[in-house]
């Protein structure tokens, strides 16, 4: 069980997990994501209403249509309750009940699914969502998640091990298409007391996940659309 004693002990060993890396089409970036990272902790806002948490690391990229991302390697695992000997895979575990039902904060969506503490992510921009209405939550994650998704800004989506199926190393890579105004991709975890309620209780999550994020090279059609957009912008400026 998550306890105040574990929280007090963890408060003395917390280390920042902030990271920011710029990538371009064809590029990739690798992150180590400790279990105390809250996906809701962005723009300096606390990501937990109970106990400490760390900032969500992210990659930056140029806005535009057709930005597609994959998680080419995802390894490691975390635990919910201070037990480093029972780490789950990146798909998450089931320590306290059948799944997760997390209420979002800071203008970021709720998140739910049939496992606990899987790797999750969201697209963002330079605009702080704090104070804005959060987007609707995506459907609860499970082993039948779609292979391709196109989430909205600040809409939490399931990554797990980055592949189709459950703990299936041979599964197809999941692809995530960013909104055209997105310039950031955040990664982290969502947690709460007994995995139900408002984002909290990250401080007793030992372990970490290593994830490599890759940005695909756009299809030729996407390059053409980008070129037309730049041409239209140049004409407006001349006018």
């Amino acid at each position: 069980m998550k306890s105040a004693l574990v929280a007090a002990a963890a408060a003395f060993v917390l280390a920042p997990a902030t990271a920011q890396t710029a990538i371009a089409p064809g590029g990739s970036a690798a992150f180590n994501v400790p279990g105390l990272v809250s996906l809701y902790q962005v723009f300096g806002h606390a990501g937990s209403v109970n106990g400490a948490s760390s900032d969500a690391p992210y990659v930056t990229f140029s806005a535009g249509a057709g930005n597609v991302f994959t998680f080419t390697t995802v390894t490691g695992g975390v635990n919910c309750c201070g037990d480093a000997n029972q780490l789950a895979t990146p798909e998450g575990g089931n320590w306290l009940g059948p799944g997760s039902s997390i209420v979002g904060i800071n203008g970021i969506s709720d998140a739910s699914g049939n496992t606990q503490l899987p790797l999750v992510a969201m697209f963002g921009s330079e605009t702080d969502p704090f104070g804005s209405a959060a987007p609707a939550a995506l459907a609860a994650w499970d082993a039948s998640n779609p292979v391709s998704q196109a989430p909205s800004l600040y809409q939490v989506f399931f990554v797990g091990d980055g592949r189709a199926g459950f703990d299936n190393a041979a599964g197809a890579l999941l692809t995530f298409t960013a909104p055209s105004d997105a310039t950031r991709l955040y990664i982290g975890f969502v947690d709460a007391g007994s995995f139900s309620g408002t984002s909290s209780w990250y401080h007793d999550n030992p372990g970490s996940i290593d994830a490599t994020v890759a940005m695909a090279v756009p299809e030729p059609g996407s390059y053409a659309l980008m070129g037309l957009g730049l041409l239209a912008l140049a004409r407006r400026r001349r006018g």
Side-chain angles (χ1 to χ4, degrees):
M1 293 293 291
K2 292 174 178 279
S3 69
L5 179 61
V6 173
F12 292 99
V13 296
L14 297 181
T18 56
Q20 174 186 345
T21 304
I23 61 173
S28 63
F31 291 96
N32 175 263
V33 189
L36 56 85
V37 171
S38 170
L39 190 68
Y40 295 107
Q41 188 155 315
V42 297
F43 290 95
H45 304 295
S48 171
V49 299
N50 187 343
S53 57
S54 286
D55 294 351
Y58 62 97
V59 295
T60 63
F61 53 92
S62 297
N67 286 330
V68 178
F69 296 83
T70 57
F71 289 78
T72 53
T73 59
V74 186
T75 60
V78 298
N79 176 272
C80 75
C81 311
D83 187 352
N85 294 316
Q86 295 189 38
L87 303 182
T89 71
E91 304 276 61
N94 291 105
W95 302 278
L96 301 174
S100 304
S101 182
I102 313 300
V103 177
I105 56 176
N106 301 329
I108 299 166
S109 79
D110 299 347
S112 63
N114 68 346
T115 60
Q116 298 159 355
L117 291 178
L119 186 68
V120 293
M122 69 181 177
F123 291 110
S125 68
E126 284 85 6
T127 301
D128 185 349
F130 183 81
S132 301
L138 289 173
W141 66 74
D142 59 27
S144 300
N145 267 13
V147 175
S148 297
Q149 293 192 67
S152 301
L153 287 179
Y154 300 110
Q155 193 172 47
V156 179
F157 58 87
F158 174 87
V159 174
D161 64 4
R163 293 183 177 272
F166 186 78
D167 282 334
N168 181 12
L173 281 174
L174 304 178
T175 62
F176 305 97
T177 301
S180 60
D181 52 347
T183 57
R184 299 180 179 187
L185 172 58
Y186 292 91
I187 55 178
F189 303 98
V190 293
D191 196 359
S194 298
F195 295 100
S196 179
T198 305
S199 177
S200 57
W201 287 98
Y202 296 83
H203 44 254
D204 64 347
N205 298 340
S208 65
I209 287 178
D210 292 306
T212 299
V213 182
M215 185 177 185
V217 176
E219 297 293 329
S222 297
Y223 275 126
L225 289 173
M226 291 168 63
L228 289 172
L230 292 172
L231 180 60
L233 179 61
R235 286 175 175 170
R236 284 199 299 269
R237 285 179 175 173
R238 290 194 192 104

